[in-house]
Amino acid sequence: MEPDEPGTSGVATKIMPLAFPKGKEKYCELCQREAYIQCSECQVTFYCNADHQQADWVGIHERICQMLVPIRAMKDIYDPSVRKKNQLRKRHLIKICTLVAQSKLSEGKGEEALPAAHCCLQTSIDLYGPNTIQLVPAYILLAEANMGLGNLAVVAELLSQAEWAVLKNPELGASIQQQLHRSLGQFYTTTGNLETALFHFANDIYFACEEYGLDSSATTKGYFLIADVFARQGKTLIVHSLYSEVAERWHKHLSSLLETHQKHADSSVDSSVSFYEKSQRVEMEEMLRVMLEFEQKQSRRDVNHIALIAHNLAMLWFVSGDLHKAQDFASTALQASMQIPKHKLTEPIQELLQQVESLQTEPQPGFA
């Protein structure tokens, strides 16, 4: 599921104080300061100024405007059936906000991700109550949005709240602990505390292995982030070794994905669409691109690693439907593999190039 692109408008009107019960002040959706305007569409969302109204509209509100009306209509809150329906709506709202925020973050749009992350946290608090373990994913999401904007004091506060919730629930599943350690590692990398960052990234990998298995591709981001720390420390050989581990794991995963894609190539189902959410594809492409650039900049290039990483990128873009990029990276991979006699990747790379050329000359469904 990939969120539709939002518009760039949205109409606000001034709040009429007499329209609300005395003592029921309204607060800004984004900053919690006193509100003076409201969304004229849903009339249940309020802002301190037009800038925050516009930021919220672009970031998330346009997508959820009408969803908020029944959720925030408090008059029937004591009706058990209405309460149950609202709980389901809130869970759905949290899911939408999470997807939108993650998509924005994957595109480097931290400012636009903030409204969705804020709404995710506020709705989670409303649904589960304050200081509960269910808030941890929302804390982490909002921390990630603020980290990209350099709001490190806010990040520290959010992660400390998430960490405290986890400490109070030692039986918590490995998945949430993995996410928390990854965010803490990224925070300490940003602040320059590299040894502490390494500690958290190591725990990231540990909990990823516990949750998904030793050979899972879910561990690759942890290895990649550890490599980034060692790169900052100038430890090139360790970086090279870690990148090799990441590339091998992705190659196994993408080869399997390519095989599945090819089996469905002639079916009426568009198999190029749903392999990954957009944010996951972007994250994978970024990791592989950084690794390829690192290897290509070395004074003594390892053509074996270049072939492996470039082949990964070619397969990724092929199953994503971008034949031009798939061809470019496959050509880079082939050029590198040909420098090693009887290289094991030469044949599969050539086969991939042939498929790309065939589809370019005779377009198939899903590659428009």
Side-chain angles (χ1 to χ4, degrees), residues 322-361:
D322 192 324
L323 297 182
H324 179 70
K325 288 183 178 179
Q327 184 177 43
D328 285 348
F329 284 114
S331 298
T332 299
L334 183 61
Q335 185 179 14
S337 70
M338 292 290 285
Q339 296 181 48
I340 302 176
K342 298 181 179 180
H343 193 283
K344 64 180 181 179
L345 291 181
T346 299
E347 186 176 342
I349 293 169
Q350 289 174 331
E351 290 176 355
L352 182 59
L353 273 170
Q354 289 172 0
Q355 291 182 63
V356 171
E357 291 168 0
S358 174
L359 289 166
Q360 285 176 328
T361 56

Side-chain angles (χ1 to χ4, degrees), residues 15 46-47 56 119 150 154 161 212 215 229 248 271 304 313 324 367:
I15 292 176
F46 307 92
Y47 306 96
D56 191 39
C119 187
V154 176
Q161 292 184 63
Y212 306 107
D215 297 325
V229 173
E248 289 286 355
S271 59
N304 180 55
L313 283 160
H324 179 70
F367 291 94

